[in-house]
Structures are given as structure tokens and as C-alpha cells.
Amino acid sequence: MRTDRSTLRAVPEAGRTAQAGPPPEGLALSQVGGVLRRSWLWIALPTIAAGAAAVAFVQVVPPRYTGEAKLLLESREAGFARTAQERTDQPQPIDEQAVASQAQVVMSRDLAREAIRRLKLVGNPEFDPSVDGLGPVQRALMLVGLAQNPLERPSEDRVLDAYFERLLVYPAGKSRILSVEFRSKDPALAAQGANTISELYIASLEAAKVDTARYASTWLGGNIETLRSRVAEAEAKVEAFRAKNGLVAAGGIAGQPLSGQQLAELSSQLSHARTLKADLDGRVKLIREMIKDGRAFEIPDVANNDLIRRVVESRITLRAQLALESRTLLPAHPRIKELTAQVSDLDGQIKSAAERIGRTLENDAKIAGARVESLQATVEGQRDVVVKGNSSEVQLRALEREAKAQREQLESYLSRYREAAARDAESASPADVRIVSRAVVPELPSFPKKLPIVGLAMLFAFLFSAGAVIARRLLANPGGAPPAEAGRSEESEAAATRPEPARFSFPEAAPPASWPPLAQATAGPAPASGPDKPTPPRAEAGAPFDLGLLIDRLGAQARGEGGRTILVVETETAKRGSGRRAPKGLAETLADTLAAGARVLAVDLDGPASGPDEPGLTDLVAGDAAFLDVIQPVPGSRLHRVAHGFVEGEVLLEEPQALAISLDAMAEAYDWVVCSQRFRPGEASRTLLAEVAGRMDSVVIASNASADDTDLVALYGIAEDAGAGQVLVAQDKVATAAEAPDHDMPLRLSAA
């Protein structure tokens, strides 16, 4: 996890400047409604005016209707017009580029001119601007040479611009559907135009297929007769050369002479003999190795021998008796020696049998080697015979290739000629498109849409008017909130700083003489690195808690040059000690007290009982959020806080390195980092305490249990074993007085 520490340092600086300086400029979100209510007239009048103008516009503008036809692109070639091979092939899918290309074909100029003639658009005032004559402005532009006379152009070309303006062809989503839309003031003409354009497009595709088939059949028919004579001549040359050179093929491989067939058979026998010899050599080598390793009884030929099998069984029985007798007799006993000798004799028999089998296989290998040498000599002799006839076979193969190529070309031409002749007739090959939805006469105009236009006009007018009112309010009062808002803010701030009854005291097991001097603690290194950082305030009389001694002890302990890191562990005993639920815990009160004179960041390690409501530490460690997303200022205080987060708390244990980097970065940016953990019985809380305590300067355990309580001793031991700088124990004053502990009982814990 990468940490932008310069950005993290800017967070507390910005929060401190905003809280110590004047009120922020601008409007709060809660003030926007009041500003808009007080200026309702400046918003209502422009909105009503825009609505009236929109109503007038939709009433005056002439309506236009849209006819829509839909075409489906697919392969519609008839099965009888395709060859057997083509019937097994799957048709190529029509991709998005092909659909877009067909949309441009529908909008071609040739198709447009034919549609203009079919729809009789020449002379229609909506499409032909020259019907009403030329206007004075256009005549003046023609006189000065800035415009051309439209009457000089062909009648169909004059209508093309208006035709394309009212035609829209587009693919429907990612499908193979083409939508053809045609707009006109006449609803009947709009529907007729969409249907006519679709029919002309289908007819053009059919005509293109027929023209291609007719051209192919004409060209193929003229070349087939010439190719037939060339094929006959090539085949005659092949047979004449074969008879002249005696290259007659016998039974077996087609076209191969007898010498070649004999060489092939000898090569096959030689390969088989070599394989047999290699197999025997390998078996002999394996048997020797197994005999050498003392595993002769594992050889398959030995193991399958009935005599050896009985010997092996006797050996197993003797070894069992030897093992049984060895339990009571020493190795020098005659019985042990007798059994050992019998086992050795059986091992020798097995080894002898394995050696006999090895010698037998060696003899077979020598026989196979002799056969290999004999076959090798025969193959060499036959190879010389075959080489002598290769020159003639080379010429024969060349003639055969020529004849075969011309024969395949002739067969291909004949097949294509038959296909082209079958598709030459009209309607023999349907177009690869069909109409799936014909256009109907529209009843409602596509433009203008009265209700949407009026509604959008009034909405935009309302938004612009509200924006203008808010901008005017910001320019008129850039200072911030009104006096009433400021008064309420001061009251809430005073209520937040009102002191509460004291609840906690901090007993120490070590004598005060062993504590570091308070002067050294307060005058020593500041909580954050650098001499210019403020020293944390001492607790004063009347403060919510007796925190003066605790702050002195915390300030005296520091590991590095950054800010102090503190972990406050609040147990269930501390919560029940006072007999009532405290409004604030020790960690929150300590953070508020330190924030009065230093930069403090409060980190929640557990999260609220009702579940997380904002990103926090777990999201930061998991890498799902940045520092600026999880660090939030506390209203009415200089304190910054980091919530627990949405991600489960197990990520803090799974990513210890990311947790360490996050805590180090926080310590560098803040004077004090106060982490709080509500300890609950269970292994998860203990593991989290052990993981976090080792990275803390101080660990404060808030517990009302007695000093010899096993749970408190365990918590203290976990924090101390983890490597915390110092471990302190905090107790509730009210709970301590009510329990009246025995002051003579010695404390077992050390808070030094």
C-alpha cells in the first residue's frame, strides 16, 4: 500500500486553519432551501415564461411524421443451389461492421434516385424547393456569383439533399436489424417512403447476385472446352512415359514400383529386428543391475518361475522364523546361525536363477544382432537398385502432377459452372435480407413532442433561475452563514465543551520515585517531531477527567521522532464500574483533551455496534480508500478521526505491513495518534491487541478489576510481550470507592 504522506500532513493543517480562522465562505447545504424560498418569485416567473414560450412553439411548428421499417440481415440462399460441401459449411456470421456497411448501402445515391422516382418527390413542395420559385435573396446571391441556379441541376439531384435529411438508417443496438426511418409532413408518404426504400434495397441485392452468377457462367463456359483437351493430352503423356520406362506398379501401394515395395518391406523387417535387439539388451542390463542390488526376486521372469516362487515363499517363512527367534536368542546362537544360513542359501538360489535368465536373454540379444546385420546388408543392396530407377520416377511424377492439376482445375470449373447456371435465373438466389416489420401510417407526430418539450423547457428555466439566485446570494454575502446560524454554532460549541463529572483515576504500581521527572516529561521532546510543535496541555481543576498525571506519563514516552502513538483498551469491567453508561469513554475524552493544544487523530479499531457508516482504517489497510477519504474532522473540535471502516476487521491481522505503514504515516502527520479498542472476550481481541500494541509508545488499559485479576494480568502480559513502550492501568474512581479494595494487598502489575 502506497502512502502519500505529504497529502496526509496537509489534512490536519487544513482542519486547524479552518477551525481557528474565520467562518468558511459560501453557503451551507442547509441554507440553500431558505435562500430559494425567499426568492421564489425570481424563479417562478422565468419558469412560467419558458413554459408559455414552449407551448407556443409546439403549437406553431408544423408536425412531422416518421415511418419505420425494419430489415433482418441473414443468409437466405436456397439449399438446392449449393453444393454438397457448401451445405455442410456453416454460414459466416454477420458482424457489426457488415451491418454498418449495409446501412451505408441503403443510403447510396443510386438507390436514392430510384426511390425519388418511385415516390414522385420531384415537384413535391416539401422536398423540391424550386416548386415555389426562387426567392429574392437567392436571386441576389446568384447575381453576385455566391450561389448556383438550382434549376440548372437535374430534377432528381435537387431533391437529394432534402431526401437525405429526412432519411435515417441505423443498426438496432448490437443486433442484425436495420431500421429505416423516413420523415415527412404527410404520414402516408412517411410510411410509403420507408417501405419503398426497403423494397428497392432488397431488389438491388437480388440483382447483384443474378449479375454475378450470369457473368461467372459466361466466363466458365468459354474456358471449359479448352481445359478438357489439355487434360486429355497430359494424361496420355503420363501413360506413354510409364510404358516406355517399365515403371509398372504391382499390388500394394498405388503407383509404387516393385523395387520400392521390396525396399519398404526390408526396411520394416530391419526396424523390427533392431527394436527386438534393443529390447533384449535393455532387459539384460536391467537384470544385471537388479542382481547387483540384491533384488533378483523382483525380476519378472524370476518371479513367474514356479520353482523360484516356492523358494521365495520358503525364504519369507525362514525370515519370519529368524525374526521370531531373534526376540529371545542372540546372534551367536546355533539356531540363529542355522536360520541365517538357510536364508543365505535361498538368496543364492534366487540369484543363480536370475543369472541363468540373464544369460539366456544375452544369447537372444546376440541372435537378434546377427539378424540385424543380415537385414542391413540386404537393404543396402536393394537400395542401389531403387536409386537407379529414381531418375525415371522423378520425370513420371512431374507429368502426373501436371495432369492432376489440370484435372482438378477442370472439375472445379465444371462444378462452378453448374452452380452459376442454376443461379442465373431470376429469383433463383434471394437476397440476404428480409423485411421483418413494414412501416405503417403513423398516427402521432414524431416532432414536436409537446409534453417533453414543455417539461424540459420549464425544468431548464427552473434550474437556471435557481442557479442565478444562489450565485447572486454568494456574491452578495461571501462571508458565510447568517448571524442566526453563527449563534446556533456557538451554542453547540459551548455545549460540546461543557465539563462532565470526573470518573477516572490512574493508580500506579511502581513508586512515584521511579517515575521520570515531570519537568523532564513536559520539557522533553514534543509529541510531534520539531521544537515548534505545541506541548499537550496539563489537566486543570474541573476538567471532565483527572488526565493530568496520565498525559505527563504519556508525554514522557516516545520511540521515534514522530508523534506519540497511544492504544486505549477499554474492558467490560470499566464500563460497568460506575453503574451507569458514560457519555464518553476514556479514549474519546483523552483525544478531546489533547486536541486543545496539538494535532490529534483518533482511530477506532473495533467500529460501532450498529455497523460501519463510513470508510475507515480497514478500508485504508485493504487498499480500497485513501487517507483523505478516511480522515474526517469532528464538528466543533480540532480533533480528526478515522472510523473502523466497511471491510471486516480481519484485514488488520492479514495485512500487518500495511497496518504498520498506515500507523507510521499517521504518527508523522499528527502530534498524537489515539487508538481505541473495546476489548471483548475472545481470541480475535487478544490477537488484535498483540498486533497493535507492539507499534504503540504507550498502552492504557481501562479496567476496574483488582490487581490480581487473571484477565487483567493476561491483558497486561499481552501488551508487554508485544513490545509496547509502557503499559498503564486506569481505574474508575466511583467503582474503586464502591468496591473498597484491600489497600494492603500488594499489586502484581507494573505500570512503569
Side-chain angles (χ1 to χ4, degrees):
M1 183 187 66
R2 295 176 7 182
T3 305
D4 191 354
R5 298 188 175 178
S6 59
T7 305
L8 181 59
R9 292 192 187 99
V11 175
E13 296 291 344
R16 184 171 59 195
T17 303
Q19 293 165 359
E25 296 184 359
L27 286 175
L29 185 60
S30 59
Q31 302 173 7
V32 175
V35 173
L36 295 179
R37 284 194 301 270
R38 289 191 296 270
S39 303
W40 66 272
L41 189 60
W42 291 95
I43 301 175
L45 291 179
T47 304
I48 295 174
V55 171
F57 171 77
V58 298
Q59 294 295 335
V60 172
V61 67
R64 290 185 180 179
Y65 298 87
T66 301
E68 181 183 13
K70 293 185 177 181
L71 307 175
L72 175 62
L73 301 179
E74 61 179 357
S75 178
R76 301 184 63 206
E77 190 171 5
F80 64 86
R82 303 178 65 186
T83 62
Q85 181 180 1
E86 291 176 346
R87 293 191 190 100
T88 58
D89 296 339
Q90 295 293 333
Q92 293 294 331
I94 301 176
D95 53 9
E96 297 180 6
Q97 289 79 7
V99 177
S101 302
Q102 294 302 318
Q104 297 299 321
V105 173
V106 178
M107 300 181 67
S108 63
R109 289 185 173 271
D110 295 337
L111 192 63
R113 291 188 178 93
E114 183 65 25
I116 290 172
R117 288 192 292 268
R118 291 278 188 94
L119 297 174
K120 300 179 181 180
L121 299 182
V122 178
N124 190 332
E126 183 181 356
F127 294 88
D128 193 352
S130 62
V131 174
D132 298 333
L134 301 179
V137 177
Q138 190 172 9
R139 291 179 182 274
L141 294 176
M142 291 168 54
L143 291 176
V144 297
L146 298 178
Q148 296 181 354
N149 188 0
L151 299 179
E152 296 178 356
R153 301 172 59 189
S155 58
E156 295 176 356
D157 293 345
R158 295 198 305 268
V159 184
L160 280 177
D161 294 337
Y163 169 83
F164 284 120
E165 288 179 0
R166 289 162 176 78
L167 175 64
L168 177 61
V169 182
Y170 60 92
K174 295 184 178 180
S175 63
R176 293 183 283 111
I177 297 292
L178 273 182
S179 295
V180 181
E181 295 184 357
F182 192 76
R183 297 189 302 275
S184 175
K185 296 178 181 179
D186 184 5
L189 180 60
Q192 183 184 0
N195 292 328
T196 301
I197 294 171
S198 302
E199 293 170 356
L200 290 175
Y201 168 63
I202 295 176
S204 66
L205 295 183
E206 292 177 351
K209 280 194 171 184
V210 171
D211 292 342
T212 302
R214 187 170 300 164
Y215 173 79
S217 61
T218 303
W219 184 86
L220 290 172
N223 289 274
I224 285 177
E225 294 299 330
T226 303
L227 191 58
R228 281 177 177 171
S229 61
R230 292 170 57 185
V231 170
E233 293 177 0
E235 291 179 347
K237 289 181 180 180
V238 170
E239 295 300 329
F241 186 84
R242 189 189 299 274
K244 179 180 179 180
N245 294 276
L247 300 175
V248 180
I253 303 175
Q256 188 175 9
L258 290 173
S259 59
Q261 295 180 18
Q262 292 174 358
L263 180 61
E265 293 176 358
L266 290 174
S267 299
S268 176
Q269 294 177 9
L270 177 60
S271 176
H272 178 71
R274 286 175 177 174
T275 303
L276 180 60
K277 183 179 182 300
D279 180 54
L280 292 173
D281 291 340
R283 293 175 63 184
V284 169
K285 182 179 179 181
L286 179 62
I287 289 174
R288 289 176 179 176
E289 291 178 354
M290 296 180 70
I291 292 173
K292 184 178 180 180
D293 295 341
R295 297 184 294 119
F297 57 88
E298 295 181 3
I299 300 174
D301 295 333
V302 176
N304 295 331
N305 192 339
D306 294 336
L307 179 60
I308 299 302
R309 188 182 296 111
R310 289 192 295 272
V311 172
V312 171
E313 292 176 356
S314 301
R315 179 178 178 274
I316 294 173
T317 304
L318 288 176
R319 290 187 65 88
Q321 293 178 3
L322 178 62
L324 181 62
E325 296 294 340
S326 297
R327 296 174 58 185
T328 57
L329 303 177
L330 294 176
H333 194 274
R335 178 59 177 169
I336 298 298
K337 291 182 178 181
E338 178 185 358
L339 293 176
T340 303
Q342 293 179 3
V343 170
S344 301
D345 181 58
L346 293 178
D347 291 339
Q349 295 180 17
I350 295 174
K351 183 176 180 181
S352 300
E355 291 176 350
R356 286 195 300 273
I357 293 174
R359 289 193 295 270
T360 302
L361 292 178
E362 287 179 357
N363 296 331
D364 294 341
K366 292 179 180 179
I367 296 173
R371 179 173 174 78
V372 168
E373 294 176 357
S374 175
L375 289 174
Q376 182 68 34
T378 306
V379 168
E380 293 294 338
Q382 186 66 27
R383 185 181 301 165
D384 296 337
V385 176
V386 173
V387 170
K388 293 179 182 179
N390 283 343
S391 58
S392 300
E393 292 182 5
V394 170
Q395 299 179 15
L396 177 62
R397 285 195 296 270
L399 295 175
E400 289 177 345
R401 283 196 300 269
E402 181 66 21
K404 182 179 179 181
Q406 294 185 6
R407 189 185 307 109
E408 291 177 351
Q409 186 177 7
L410 175 61
E411 293 174 355
S412 175
Y413 278 19
L414 288 173
S415 176
R416 295 181 182 181
Y417 178 76
R418 288 191 293 268
E419 297 171 13
R423 300 174 184 176
D424 194 1
E426 296 291 338
S427 303
S429 298
D432 293 337
V433 62
R434 61 187 178 92
I435 301 177
V436 295
S437 176
R438 301 185 65 86
V440 297
V441 179
E443 298 180 357
L444 299 177
S446 59
F447 179 84
K449 298 290 185 181
K450 298 183 178 181
L451 290 179
I453 291 177
V454 174
L456 287 176
M458 296 183 68
L459 177 61
F460 287 147
F462 172 78
L463 294 177
F464 280 117
S465 301
V469 169
I470 294 175
R472 177 176 175 273
R473 179 66 177 82
L474 291 175
L475 294 175
N477 183 21
E485 299 284 343
R488 285 195 295 269
S489 177
E490 293 175 358
E491 293 177 2
S492 61
E493 186 174 326
T497 59
R498 187 175 298 119
E500 299 177 0
R503 294 182 53 242
F504 287 94
S505 64
F506 306 98
E508 301 293 343
S514 64
W515 299 353
L518 295 182
Q520 179 184 357
T522 56
S529 62
D532 54 343
K533 304 296 179 64
T535 304
R538 295 287 303 274
E540 300 177 357
F545 296 88
D546 293 339
L547 300 178
L549 180 60
L550 177 62
I551 293 175
D552 288 337
R553 295 296 303 279
L554 297 177
Q557 180 68 25
R559 293 186 174 186
E561 298 179 355
R564 290 350 187 238
T565 54
I566 304 169
L567 173 61
V568 179
V569 182
E570 300 185 62
T571 63
E572 297 293 335
T573 308
K575 295 181 180 180
R576 295 191 299 265
S578 61
R580 58 183 179 85
R581 185 176 181 82
K584 287 186 178 181
L586 175 59
E588 187 175 0
T589 306
L590 178 61
D592 291 340
T593 304
L594 294 173
R599 296 174 299 176
V600 181
L601 178 65
V603 182
D604 190 358
L605 298 180
D606 290 323
S610 58
D613 56 355
E614 58 183 336
L617 180 62
T618 57
D619 304 281
L620 177 64
V621 172
D624 296 342
F627 277 102
L628 293 179
D629 299 331
V630 302
I631 297 179
Q632 303 294 334
V634 177
S637 173
R638 299 181 57 184
L639 177 66
H640 287 181
R641 63 182 293 271
V642 175
H644 178 260
F646 296 107
V647 182
E648 296 294 335
E650 286 77 5
V651 73
L652 301 179
L653 305 177
E654 296 172 357
E655 300 290 341
Q657 185 176 3
L659 176 61
I661 293 175
S662 303
L663 294 177
D664 292 343
M666 295 175 185
E668 288 186 11
Y670 288 88
D671 300 334
W672 296 85
V673 178
V674 181
C675 303
S676 62
Q677 179 187 1
R678 285 171 292 278
F679 188 84
R680 301 180 179 89
E683 188 64 26
S685 293
R686 296 178 181 271
T687 306
L688 180 60
L689 175 59
E691 182 64 35
V692 179
R695 310 184 186 279
M696 296 290 128
D697 296 330
S698 303
V699 176
V700 181
I701 303 175
S703 176
N704 292 331
S706 60
D708 59 347
D709 184 73
T710 56
D711 294 336
L712 181 57
V713 172
L715 290 181
Y716 190 94
I718 292 173
E720 193 174 40
D721 294 341
Q726 64 176 345
V727 183
L728 306 177
V729 179
Q731 291 186 348
D732 191 334
K733 282 184 176 182
V734 178
T736 304
E739 294 172 1
D742 186 3
H743 298 285
D744 297 334
M745 181 180 60
L747 292 175
R748 301 181 183 177
L749 304 182
S750 174

